[in-house]
Amino acid sequence: MSQVSIVDIARLAQVSPSTVSRALQGHPRISAERRAAILALAEELGYRPSQVARSLVTGRSHTFGVVVSDVTDPFVAEVLKGAEMAARDASYRLLFAMSNRNPAQEIEAAEALLDYEVDGLIVISSRAPDRYARLPRLRDAGKDHRIPVVLLNHAQVGEFIYSVKMDSESGARMAVSYLSQLGHRRIAFISGPSGGRSSSERLAGYRRAVLEHGLDASPELVIGGAGLLEDGWETLAVLLALKPPPTAVLCYNDLSAIGLLAAAAQMGVPVPDALSVVGYDNIPLSAYTTPPLTTVEQPKDAMGRTAVKVCLRALAGEPATTTVLSGQLVVRSSAAAPPQAQ
Amino acid sequence: MSQVSIVDIARLAQVSPSTVSRALQGHPRISAERRAAILALAEELGYRPSQVARSLVTGRSHTFGVVVSDVTDPFVAEVLKGAEMAARDASYRLLFAMSNRNPAQEIEAAEALLDYEVDGLIVISSRAPDRYARLPRLRDAGKDHRIPVVLLNHAQVGEFIYSVKMDSESGARMAVSYLSQLGHRRIAFISGPSGGRSSSERLAGYRRAVLEHGLDASPELVIGGAGLLEDGWETLAVLLALKPPPTAVLCYNDLSAIGLLAAAAQMGVPVPDALSVVGYDNIPLSAYTTPPLTTVEQPKDAMGRTAVKVCLRALAGEPATTTVLSGQLVVRSSAAAPPQAQ
DNA sequence: TTGTAGGCGTTATCAG
DNA sequence: CTGATAACGCCTACAA
């Protein structure tokens, strides 16, 4: 036979399949010698239980679905890594899907993962957060069989839909305050994907800090973007076209900051001497840019790990709640005092 | 009820479960009106077939396992993205696991994914390629039920173990030839993970080009590394300590090249004026470094897509073979003529 | 064209 | 402590 099953072992051990099952899962009421014999036999035959058969009967797949906007985004990859490690620690596996930043594709992916009976759903960088509360299978499940959903970096949008996030607003605020202390008065903000929760929160943090410090609040200083390398690259020109140009800029994420850095190097705009640049995320690469990027750290690993822990807790019936982690400013050398203050 | 099943529909439609099953899967012999009624009912009830029940009976899970060394590596993420998209196009899902570059963990992950009855296994950057031929479940399966394994950037190591790779040797050779044409005679190579196939192939390509062009072949020019940002960073010092220091360096991948670039900027070594740097992979970020990185393009998306296609083909019983894709040199500005030639 | 019955590998309930 | 027996949700001969 190609695959050894529990009945093969039962036959060879001269016991019933149920006894084998019990031995294998460490059931208390079974004689020690039988258990040892069965375990040895299973080992020898290279037996591995079928998770799908197990799922069918227990109703638990030991699987979480993860849908991400784009694995290629270092922030996303880092969070995914954290989630994978926490899942593995709990003997869970991850069913992976990508939305390509497309809301329809995201929901489609989520539904597909649900078809595989995932025990929970983790969504990194959702573009359609309010759709989850309306998914029939999430809505209509019996109280005891609800599938937890955790949204990363989004607010909680319904019961059984949890949220693990960083306090984006205060992150952005810290960055702007830092820039203000350095002497900058005219600070631009390159925003992230429009409609995105984290983008609007970071913008709010930026605005609040601008107000608090009495900085230039011209609306022209807020520039649209989508959190891509290209955004930063293209934005330098619009920054320079502003009159007067800002002396500092806070980017939605490190990716756009790196794009900006590249454009600045290309056009001969010295950073931080002529322009201070601050990123967001603290992806590994941000320490290796020229100059090294000052940025707001997001606890990416912890976010991923926490997301699976929230799922686990919800499944255990414990009261899981929305978690807000805090970040901090990582000062490197892409921001300094503005030119006129030197 | 929490989940609608095929028998719920059958009851409501006053037919047998098998009829519903047939209607749902477009079985030919069924009256059009019944099918329409059943489909409508299913739609209305929000019915979604249980993939696990289906798997149990059909023996196919419509799932591929993907084990990667580290998602956080941009090359890996890019390949994974390609694989995800191809899988989705074929209505397949990906079960994801990470090995953290650890051989034991890699095999453990592969076995775990096999427990979920994945229909195929894709391994990106394997560190234990020869173990797969010995996995009982892969070895002992009936001829018609073998699970295809595809190794990325590794040679084929057994039957039913396929390989999708780039011609790493010629990639490295192209890079060194280019550097040679630029006038470099003393070119260093920072290697990748020891024991890794792609590292040894790239090294072979480097050596061959060195020979072909009659360049300096001192063994000290080959420096150990692991393909991480840190490697490049730390290697600059050893490069500079060489007498005389090389005028150019080919890095195992873009990550180490970027680390090297950062160290060079930090220590005031102008690139490419004092040192030419060439990377490998052409990750998106390589276009945004300072200076933009000259690198060897790997067809990452195609590699991921091809990997799932090979699985699909193997499952269909078609003769799948090892695929070798070709790359090309992407010339940007991190390499130029050596100082003395200027 | 449709229904009946059996089974995929496992767990769980109930006897013994 | 152990063994039948019945599910879990679906598919697929085989029978009607």
Side-chain angles (χ1 to χ4, degrees), chain A residues 5-6 18 21 47 49-50 54 57:
Chain A
S5 88
I6 221 168
S18 15
S21 172
Y47 168 79
S50 159
R54 213 204 273 282
V57 54

Side-chain angles (χ1 to χ4, degrees), chain A residues 156-179:
Chain A
Q156 182 165 7
V157 293
E159 56 166 353
F160 282 91
I161 301 192
Y162 307 98
S163 154
V164 171
K165 51 174 302 207
M166 180 198 160
D167 185 348
S168 295
E169 182 171 332
S170 75
R173 220 168 126 204
M174 282 171 9
V176 174
S177 296
Y178 171 70
L179 253 12

Side-chain angles (χ1 to χ4, degrees), chain A residues 174-184 187 247-251 257 261 270-279 289-296 329-339 342:
Chain A
M174 282 171 9
V176 174
S177 296
Y178 171 70
L179 253 12
S180 163
Q181 282 162 30
L182 249 27
H184 296 274
I187 303 171
T247 58
V249 51
L250 170 61
C251 302
L261 249 31
V271 173
D273 299 336
L275 181 69
S276 284
V277 176
V278 176
T289 52
T290 318
L293 196 63
T294 290
T295 187
V296 179
L329 189 69
V330 176
V331 174
R332 288 196 276 249
S333 23
S334 63
Q342 283 179 318

